[in-house]
Amino acid sequence: EKRRGRVFFKDIPAIKAQLGRWRGKRLERLVDRLARLHHSLLSNSADAEMMLAQGMAEITRAANAKK
């Protein structure tokens, strides 16, 4: 993506850090979790704020979990 100019230069350090955390199966699970969260948010806008907060908390816990 960097070669195609799709990554803003100021975001590169943060993206590198995240790629160090999310690899292989963990990355697959993250993508699946984000897709489910996105679907839930679109289908239930009344509870979207709470669902987003819970989803982000789960992702944060997973990111901080020991490998």
Side-chain angles (χ1 to χ4, degrees):
E1 294 298 312
K2 182 179 175 185
R3 282 180 262 149
R4 293 182 181 175
R6 294 183 186 170
V7 176
F8 186 59
F9 75 97
K10 289 185 178 182
D11 293 335
I12 292 172
I15 290 171
K16 285 182 179 180
Q18 291 304 312
L19 287 174
R21 277 183 197 263
W22 301 100
R23 293 190 134 345
K25 293 288 183 186
R26 290 184 84 214
L27 181 57
E28 286 181 42
R29 287 191 304 267
L30 172 64
V31 170
D32 184 52
R33 182 177 289 167
L34 287 171
R36 283 188 320 237
L37 177 60
H38 181 250
H39 182 266
S40 296
L41 293 171
L42 291 175
S43 63
N44 188 353
S45 62
D47 296 327
E49 189 174 341
M50 178 60 77
M51 290 170 29
L52 179 60
Q54 288 174 339
M56 296 307 293
E58 290 173 8
I59 291 168
T60 300
R61 282 192 294 274
N64 290 323
K66 294 191 179 192
K67 297 176 187 175

